[in-house]
Amino acid sequence: MINRAEFKKQIPRGYMKLIANKAGVGNQAVYKYFNNTLNSERIEMAALELVSEMKQKKEGFVKILNL
């Protein structure tokens, strides 16, 4: 099971709105999910996908800079 407090720390500022858009829910639903007052697999999957994409982009940039 995902520790939501730790997971929330990995999400950059402004990403909550992106997660809401990707999951097709309102911003409040995402905040409730990360404050453990709402359970939603859709929000969890959207958040995981966005964080994964962000990390892949970051790794790509690091490779480019280390040429």
Side-chain angles (χ1 to χ4, degrees):
M1 180 171 234
I2 294 175
N3 180 339
R4 292 182 193 177
E6 291 299 317
F7 186 38
K8 186 177 179 182
K9 290 178 185 178
Q10 296 179 21
I11 297 173
R13 187 175 186 163
Y15 265 59
M16 294 295 184
K17 187 174 183 177
L18 294 174
I19 292 168
N21 290 338
K22 189 168 187 77
V25 298
N27 294 345
Q28 285 298 324
V30 176
Y31 288 107
K32 287 179 181 181
Y33 170 80
F34 281 105
N35 289 324
N36 289 318
T37 58
L38 175 73
N39 291 321
S40 173
E41 188 174 329
R42 226 170 31 176
I43 293 172
E44 185 174 315
M45 293 307 296
L48 287 168
E49 287 175 16
L50 283 171
V51 169
S52 176
E53 290 170 9
M54 178 194 65
K55 287 184 178 185
Q56 288 175 357
K57 286 179 185 178
K58 185 176 179 180
E59 289 171 3
F61 290 135
V62 168
K63 287 180 185 178
I64 291 170
L65 292 174
N66 288 330
L67 290 177

